[in-house]
Amino acid sequence: MNRFFALARPFLDAGALTHAEVEAVALVAPRFHEANVEALLGLAFVAAAPRLGHVVVALPDAPRLWAAAARTGRHALTSRDRDGESLSEDEDSAALPWPSDLAAWHATTLASSLVGARKPFVAVPHSSGVPRLATHRRDAEEHAVATLMLARAARPQTPPAAIDALLHGLFGTEAHGEAANAVRLASANSLAIVTGGPGTGKTFSITRLLAALALSETEKDPLVVRLAAPTGKAAARMGEAIAEGLQSVALPNPLRERLGSLKAETIHRLVGLRPNGTVRHNAANPMRASLVVVDEASMVDLSLMRTLLHALPDHARLVLLGDPDQLASVEAGAVLGDLVRSPLLAPCRMHFTTSRRFGTAPTLAACAHALQTRDDAQTAQMAQTAQAVAYLTGKARAEGETEFERLRWLGEACGTRGFVNREQLDALVAPYRSTFLATLRALSDSPSESDLVGVLEALDEYRVLAVHRRGPLSVATLEAAMERELLGPVDADTGREGREGRLRHGLAVLVTANDAESNLANGDVGIALRINGVLTCIFAGDSASQVRRVAPARMPSFDGAFAMTIHKSQGSQFRHVAMVLAGRPSPIQTRELVYTALTRAKESVRWVGSERELELALATRTERVSSLGTRLSPAPFTA
């Protein structure tokens, strides 16, 4: 194995491979009598592919796919990095010693004794005739997701007998519009994939679906609904939106109260995922449900989707809601995108086109619309990019725009190290001063429950979003600057507590880990407040008029929340958003990232960055290599 480690050393030093990946291949090689060091190197890259989001890999593509990881120096591109971690750029990023004949390298690796049925690695057929490579685990996950999705798509449901009359009562004159047709689709199928941009009516249609099915349930066949999302924040937002949407539905009060009391949960909690990786619900013990609705499906990775599908009873309807133009999942795969592109699943798919989110901000709406994928042609995408850049830089505005400040460019970050200047910092902090800080200062020493709800609502009016977690223009730098501006210098505060003295009165906190003891989930946002002289962290409660209180000593791991990564903001929405670009080349600064940041806002966006940097970001697409789309095609794995 010494020759293998020597061959892998430059890739380890550059961060393209990790020691765990290399050592895992070295560990299993003797068992299968594999001694070809080039094949072992190829398999190390196959093992590394999921870390970069890829499920399968063709080794001739490896230099291109790993170029971003190689630029990160000795720091490997982990899933934590893709969630906004700053990547080192001060290491030598010279060309790596890839094998001279990449096609021969791929062929040698395919011929390895570690590749095959019941082996650690699998050759996955491809339409080109040259198989791709995958780990056994990822291949099994793709096979399971494709098989279960196709089986569910082929399993019809019996819609309510009076569905047209029900929809006429629920939708009135729009009984044949997009939302009503989505309800028809979901009521008649075991699988419904409802996609569209923000504010297009996906959640609106779900409230009507719940109403239609609830009005048609029988004692013998009761409606059992489960609502879920990938993160705690997205689940909370989903529950709030559905409860709010039900208020406008004509239903008997007991039924409205019953549906309005439904709680959305994380998918992990829905399937009963335990810390050791086992699950409560699986094919042998499916969950109790007749309708399962999953929001923010673009964030669901391959492994989690397989786990979810195995946990569903055969008779249940599954409805997936999502925006395929948003960021893909942090972990491996781009499941929603593959499902949307599958011709076999087209009968189960509904795409919404009319957005109502940006009713008072037509330029913001037009900018988001320009970034949605409507044409694969390069010339069309270039035109859309140019249009979006014109909106964001103030060179164009949409018809009907009355307040051009809805999209405000704050200019390029100053200096070679790329920090925001005084004027930019003031502009980033100003919305917090006028909403959150004003509400915070108005709190009494003994605030009422409604006052505490009010300060949480004021915090959620606005958020600053950045690309990376660390670095000059990162969440860490912006968070520290805004904390000083809003709460004063650290040494002036004598009441810091919890998690090594990180908490102080007025600090916004973002939970970064699921914690059953405190009933907090990754992504939950709260505020540390001194109430009656005691520092307490408050979070949104079980109802809109309640808060949860968590003692500092019981807080799970957290970050500040005045600034957060764009990845972490998925599933959230704010009236106003600030977007701070990285100020340097970044492999994660893509069109999807910018689109996701813009569509977190309902009314306005201000942003920091250069025009050239914005153009490069919008011209860069997230690439995920998988074979799920092929498995979901009419003739999989044929030339």
Side-chain angles (χ1 to χ4, degrees):
M1 289 295 109
N2 288 339
R3 289 179 55 231
F4 170 45
F5 283 111
L7 187 63
R9 173 57 55 190
F11 299 96
L12 287 166
D13 291 343
L17 295 174
T18 67
H19 287 280
E21 291 149 2
V22 172
E23 289 168 3
V25 172
L27 182 66
V28 298
R31 177 183 173 186
F32 293 91
H33 309 290
E34 181 57 79
N36 186 304
V37 293
E38 285 207 348
L40 295 178
L41 179 65
L43 294 174
F45 276 98
V46 178
R51 180 166 48 83
L52 274 67
H54 308 302
V55 180
V56 300
V57 63
L59 293 179
D61 295 333
R64 175 178 58 81
L65 296 177
W66 265 262
R71 287 197 300 271
T72 67
R74 296 180 185 274
H75 296 266
L77 184 61
T78 64
S79 60
R80 184 176 176 85
D81 296 324
R82 293 197 305 278
D83 189 30
E85 182 68 74
S86 176
L87 305 177
S88 172
E89 294 182 351
D90 54 8
E91 302 289 340
D92 183 10
S93 58
L96 290 170
W98 299 98
S100 56
D101 189 335
L102 296 173
W105 181 36
H106 187 75
T108 297
T109 307
L110 280 172
S112 170
S113 59
L114 273 73
V115 178
R118 299 181 182 179
K119 302 287 182 66
F121 299 92
V122 177
V124 181
H126 188 262
S127 59
S128 68
V130 179
R132 288 353 186 193
L133 286 153
T135 64
H136 177 85
R137 172 192 167 187
R138 301 298 179 178
D139 177 70
E141 288 173 343
E142 276 202 338
H143 176 76
V145 168
T147 301
L148 293 170
M149 282 291 183
L150 291 174
R152 188 163 289 279
R155 191 180 303 127
Q157 293 276 351
T158 302
I163 184 66
D164 287 332
L166 283 171
L167 293 181
H168 183 76
L170 293 170
F171 290 95
T173 58
E174 296 186 10
H176 292 279
E178 289 180 339
N181 286 335
V183 174
R184 286 187 178 87
L185 175 74
S187 66
N189 292 275
S190 295
L191 173 66
I193 304 166
V194 182
T195 60
T200 51
K202 299 186 295 294
T203 305
F204 175 83
S205 68
I206 291 304
T207 61
R208 274 62 185 170
L209 173 65
L210 294 176
L213 295 179
L215 288 168
S216 306
E217 69 179 344
T218 63
E219 186 175 344
K220 183 179 178 182
D221 187 21
L223 177 65
V224 182
V225 181
R226 305 295 295 272
L227 307 176
T231 68
K233 183 66 175 177
R237 176 59 197 151
M238 179 190 191
E240 293 166 1
I242 288 178
E244 180 181 336
L246 284 168
Q247 297 305 309
S248 61
V249 182
L251 288 171
N253 283 334
L255 189 55
R256 179 184 290 105
E257 291 176 5
R258 172 191 153 198
L259 295 178
S261 66
L262 292 170
K263 301 300 179 187
E265 55 194 327
T266 63
I267 299 175
H268 296 76
R269 184 168 294 179
L270 176 69
V271 301
L273 188 62
R274 305 184 181 101
N276 64 1
T278 61
V279 292
R280 180 182 305 113
H281 297 297
N282 50 34
N285 181 36
M287 68 181 74
R288 181 172 179 266
S290 57
L291 171 66
V292 176
V293 183
V294 177
D295 199 10
E296 299 292 345
S298 65
M299 300 169 64
V300 182
D301 61 76
L302 181 66
S303 295
L304 190 57
M305 184 62 78
R306 180 209 55 179
T307 302
L308 171 65
L309 292 172
H310 276 307
L312 295 177
D314 289 343
H315 68 270
R317 294 175 171 90
L318 172 63
V319 181
L320 301 177
L321 309 176
D323 183 351
D325 292 308
Q326 282 190 33
L327 287 163
S329 57
V330 171
E331 302 300 333
V335 178
L336 182 63
D338 288 332
L339 298 181
V340 166
R341 288 186 289 271
S342 168
L344 292 179
L345 298 182
C348 302
R349 191 168 65 245
M350 179 77 191
H351 182 69
F352 289 177
T353 58
T354 304
S355 177
R356 297 171 180 84
R357 171 175 291 189
F358 311 109
T360 60
T363 299
L364 180 55
C367 185
H369 185 64
L371 294 179
Q372 292 174 330
T373 302
R374 303 186 301 278
D375 196 324
D376 290 332
Q378 185 176 4
T379 54
Q381 291 194 18
M382 289 173 62
Q384 293 162 16
T385 296
Q387 186 180 26
V389 170
Y391 287 135
L392 283 162
T393 54
K395 297 175 182 176
R397 70 176 71 186
E399 183 179 352
E401 183 66 80
T402 57
E403 188 179 346
F404 204 41
E405 288 288 292
R406 298 290 186 188
L407 273 178
R408 181 182 172 192
W409 184 20
L410 301 179
E412 182 177 1
C414 64
T416 56
R417 291 183 60 80
F419 291 96
V420 293
N421 59 32
R422 180 72 251 178
E423 182 180 352
Q424 290 167 335
L425 181 58
D426 286 343
L428 293 176
V429 171
Y432 279 132
R433 291 191 190 280
S434 62
T435 54
F436 168 70
L437 193 58
T439 307
L440 180 69
R441 288 173 173 170
L443 285 179
S444 66
D445 293 336
S446 301
S448 66
E449 197 82 354
S450 62
D451 289 337
L452 297 178
V453 170
V455 75
L456 284 172
E457 290 175 346
L459 175 64
D460 274 347
E461 289 279 293
Y462 172 65
R463 198 69 85 244
V464 175
L465 306 179
V467 177
H468 291 294
R469 293 180 67 242
R470 294 190 177 91
L473 289 172
S474 69
V475 166
T477 302
L478 293 166
E479 178 71 29
M482 286 188 290
E483 184 180 335
R484 287 193 303 271
E485 293 291 317
L486 295 169
L487 307 180
V490 173
D491 56 10
D493 179 65
T494 58
R496 295 169 72 87
E497 298 179 19
R499 287 280 168 179
E500 304 169 349
R502 292 174 59 201
L503 291 173
R504 61 191 299 201
H505 177 70
L507 181 68
V509 294
L510 171 69
V511 176
T512 57
N514 296 324
D515 184 67
E517 183 179 348
S518 61
N519 196 30
L520 292 175
N522 185 4
D524 284 349
V525 173
I527 307 169
L529 295 176
R530 195 165 295 284
I531 302 173
N532 295 322
V534 179
L535 194 65
T536 304
C537 293
I538 65 166
F539 294 85
D542 292 333
S543 73
S545 60
Q546 294 179 321
V547 299
R548 282 181 291 158
R549 306 183 188 212
V550 180
R554 295 184 59 209
M555 277 290 291
S557 60
F558 65 87
D559 290 328
F562 292 128
M564 65 197 311
T565 62
I566 296 170
H567 282 82
K568 282 288 187 184
S569 73
Q570 283 185 277
S572 302
Q573 67 176 37
F574 312 96
R575 283 184 63 194
H576 311 287
V577 159
M579 175 180 68
V580 181
L581 297 183
R584 57 187 169 87
S586 170
I588 65 172
Q589 188 162 271
T590 62
R591 185 189 191 94
E592 292 82 1
L593 193 82
V594 174
Y595 173 82
T596 300
L598 295 180
T599 54
R600 297 313 88 206
K602 292 189 290 184
E603 295 185 13
S604 75
V605 171
R606 53 189 68 193
W607 68 283
V608 175
S610 72
E611 183 174 354
R612 178 56 180 160
E613 182 182 15
L614 176 65
E615 290 172 344
L616 288 174
L618 297 184
T620 304
R621 303 304 298 261
T622 300
E623 182 177 9
R624 292 292 176 90
V625 185
S626 77
S627 62
L628 180 59
T630 304
R631 296 175 195 266
L632 292 170
S633 66
F637 305 135
T638 59

